[in-house]
Amino acid sequence: MLNYTAGGLYQVTDGVYQIRGADLSNMTIYRTDNGYVIHDPLITKEASTASWEFAKMHLPAINGEHKITGMIYSHMHVDHFGGSRGIVESGDFAKDALIYAPKDFIKELADENVIAGTAMGRRANYQYGTTLDNTPKGIVDNALGLGTTRGEVTLVAPDREVVEREEVINIDGIDFHMINMPGAEAPAEIVLYVPQYRSLNTAELTYDGMHNIYTFRGAKVRDSLVWTKYLTELKLRFVDSGLVDNIHAAHSAPVWNNPETEVNEISQYMTLQRDNYGFIHNQSMRLANHGVTINDVGREIEKIVPQSQLNTWHTNGYHGSYSIMQGR
């Protein structure tokens, strides 16, 4: 639970770093030949500016500077792009640096954040307690992270959307294998495999807890069946095949294998995450086909959750819950 113990800069592996605890989401930093790539620049300009300045205090300068050689948005929820201007205006953003995003990023961003933005923003105040003070009688946490920052939410439009299902894009000497996986946690989303660092960034397809399928704030309903299929693909292609030594994500702490044992802990983690969303989809549809109404499906699912899921801390409902996470 490193994400919740303290804010700071953490090393995932040599060349991959994360700022955690500064905002609701993590800002991941990849070292390239001549600088660093920023992945998901948090919610506000103030948060991303402060986080990057803090990172520069601890990350080594390359060629005498901390140049930003690119930026990647994993998906179109505000906690993954809102601090973009803080990075671009940091004074370190290279003139030839590009910003990358998943296919249909702008379209889906407009659908959720503009067309339904006012209603969703109002609901989010209740879901995330954004108006509560940071006092003993105020906010506790947001489950996905300790809380949301307050400040200027910005968007620097991406220079390039990854339109193919998969593309390998070299940014300043490092290959980023970008895979579009839309319709699960977000309508537009990419995950990253970085072979040089034997790392898999699952974006928000994994999280140390149960995620939302139907959100209180009114985001588009997530497809728990396709979510399960994506996690199966990632598990088989990158984890079980031995291509990665860690997975890290937009929220929570990374997962590593213990080199002193032969147990594939990453595989076990992804198996339980995958099975949880599959269980939600399959049982929701089974109960619906048996005539259980929408208001009762969640309560019926809670009665039959497998013990393996109940006993696993990272599949429990800190953010989502079985009572509201009904499959499509």
Side-chain angles (χ1 to χ4, degrees):
M1 298 294 284
L2 289 175
N3 196 46
Y4 306 119
T5 56
L9 176 70
Y10 295 85
Q11 178 174 295
V12 179
T13 189
D14 184 31
V16 182
Y17 312 93
Q18 287 188 315
I19 292 284
R20 302 191 208 118
D23 211 329
L24 187 67
S25 51
N26 300 330
M27 186 168 80
T28 305
I29 305 170
Y30 298 95
R31 187 176 66 228
T32 62
D33 287 353
N34 298 289
Y36 296 92
V37 166
I38 303 296
H39 181 276
D40 285 356
L42 309 179
I43 296 178
T44 63
K45 177 181 177 180
E46 291 82 355
S48 65
T49 298
S51 295
W52 175 238
E53 289 300 315
F54 179 80
K56 286 163 59 178
M57 295 169 57
H58 301 280
L59 294 176
I62 301 174
N63 302 323
E65 58 184 346
H66 290 86
K67 181 163 61 176
I68 298 172
T69 54
M71 185 157 60
I72 301 168
Y73 304 146
S74 67
H75 59 292
M76 22 58 64
H77 294 152
V78 68
D79 49 327
H80 306 276
F81 68 80
S84 53
R85 192 158 295 282
I87 299 300
V88 171
E89 296 179 354
S90 64
D92 300 310
F93 200 77
K95 292 182 179 179
D96 58 349
L98 299 180
I99 302 175
Y100 302 87
K103 180 182 178 182
D104 295 330
F105 176 86
I106 293 295
K107 173 189 177 299
E108 296 296 347
L109 183 151
D111 282 357
E112 281 202 0
N113 297 288
V114 179
I115 296 174
T118 301
M120 286 179 59
R122 186 183 304 115
R123 292 182 178 189
N125 287 336
Y126 291 95
Q127 181 177 359
Y128 292 110
T130 54
T131 60
L132 297 176
D133 293 327
N134 294 320
T135 67
K137 294 184 178 181
I139 192 166
V140 178
D141 69 40
N142 285 141
L144 285 174
L146 291 175
T148 59
T149 57
R150 298 174 185 177
E152 183 181 356
V153 177
T154 64
L155 170 64
V156 180
D159 299 292
R160 178 178 172 185
E161 291 190 359
V162 179
V163 296
E164 301 296 329
R165 206 273 171 159
E166 302 185 28
E167 294 186 34
V168 177
I169 297 175
N170 186 281
I171 305 177
D172 189 38
I174 300 295
D175 283 340
F176 291 86
H177 187 163
M178 304 186 186
I179 307 174
N180 276 297
M181 292 191 162
E185 193 277 332
E189 189 159 8
I190 50 175
V191 303
L192 300 178
Y193 167 53
V194 189
Q196 180 161 333
Y197 297 129
R198 292 182 55 82
S199 294
L200 180 67
N201 186 327
T202 58
E204 212 161 327
L205 293 182
T206 64
Y207 149 70
D208 289 349
M210 184 195 307
H211 216 306
N212 294 171
I213 296 298
Y214 168 78
T215 73
F216 283 127
R217 75 178 189 277
K220 290 184 178 180
V221 177
R222 287 84 186 263
D223 188 334
S224 51
L225 178 59
V226 77
W227 200 326
T228 300
K229 292 179 179 179
Y230 288 155
L231 290 179
T232 298
E233 177 184 348
L234 294 175
K235 177 178 181 295
L236 294 176
R237 288 182 62 183
F238 300 107
V239 177
D240 293 353
S241 62
L243 293 178
V244 300
D245 297 325
N246 68 81
I247 62 170
H248 52 283
H251 301 277
S252 309
V255 182
W256 300 270
N257 283 329
N258 185 344
E260 298 181 359
T261 72
E262 295 182 359
V263 177
N264 192 331
E265 296 180 46
I266 302 174
S267 181
Q268 292 179 345
Y269 176 91
M270 292 196 74
T271 296
L272 284 163
Q273 291 263 312
R274 174 201 64 187
D275 290 353
N276 200 36
Y277 297 115
F279 166 80
I280 291 164
H281 173 272
N282 296 342
Q283 295 305 317
S284 293
M285 296 313 303
R286 181 185 67 83
L287 289 165
N289 286 325
H290 279 273
V292 179
T293 66
I294 189 172
N295 294 322
D296 294 323
V297 166
R299 285 185 285 272
E300 292 301 314
I301 285 179
E302 287 182 319
K303 299 175 183 178
I304 56 173
V305 178
Q307 204 64 37
S308 61
Q309 288 168 220
L310 285 175
N311 292 342
T312 302
W313 64 270
H314 64 77
T315 58
N316 275 266
Y318 315 112
H319 184 48
S321 74
Y322 291 113
S323 62
I324 63 169
M325 277 192 61
Q326 298 158 16
R328 289 180 64 180

